[in-house]
Amino acid sequence: MNVIPFQFQNAQIRVFQRDGDTWFVAKDVATLLGYSKPRNAISMHCRGALKQGLPTESGIQEMQIIPERDVYRLIMRSKLPEAEKFEDGWLMMSSPLYERLEAIRQQVR
C-alpha cells in the first residue's frame, strides 16, 4: 500500500488509495482540524471509519482510516478555526492544498 503524506500548515496527513477510493488516516485529519479528542470526533461524525494496517517507520501499525466523504463530515461539523482554514484550502480549486490532493490522487491510482 502506497501511503503518501502531505503537509497542510505544520501538520502531516497520510493519504492512500483503497479499492479505487481516496482514504485518510482519521487521527491525522481530526487533529489537524483542532478536535481535542480525535477519537470522539471520529466516532461521532464519521460513518465509514475502518481499521487498517499501514506501514510506518516502525513497521505495520493498525490505524483508523476514513474515506474522503468523512473528511467533509469532520470539516462541516467543526466550528474550530483550523477547520475553516482547511475547508478553504480543500474546496478552492485554485488552492495549493486542492492541487496537492489532486496530485496525490494521481500518484496513488
Side-chain angles (χ1 to χ4, degrees), residues 5-97:
F6 77 94
Q7 294 289 125
F8 181 75
Q9 296 177 340
N10 292 324
Q12 177 176 285
I13 299 177
R14 291 165 285 184
V15 182
F16 61 96
Q17 286 288 95
R18 180 174 191 241
D19 300 328
D21 294 319
T22 305
W23 287 73
F24 300 78
V25 173
K27 184 178 178 188
D28 293 352
V29 175
T31 300
L32 168 74
L33 294 175
Y35 285 100
S36 60
K37 296 180 181 177
R39 282 187 184 166
N40 291 352
I42 294 160
S43 67
M44 284 176 44
H45 303 307
C46 298
R47 297 180 186 166
L50 302 172
K51 297 234 177 191
Q52 171 81 42
L54 296 175
T56 67
E57 291 179 6
S58 58
I60 301 294
Q61 295 196 9
E62 193 167 280
M63 298 180 197
Q64 210 167 13
I65 60 170
I66 55 174
E68 190 169 351
R69 66 184 178 271
D70 280 341
V71 173
Y72 295 119
R73 284 187 184 100
L74 287 172
I75 291 170
M76 298 305 177
R77 287 180 170 84
S78 174
K79 295 184 179 14
L80 299 165
E82 292 87 349
E84 188 173 318
K85 290 177 195 171
F86 191 71
E87 179 183 11
D88 289 345
W90 184 277
L91 299 177
M92 303 298 275
M93 288 187 177
S94 62
S95 76
L97 177 59

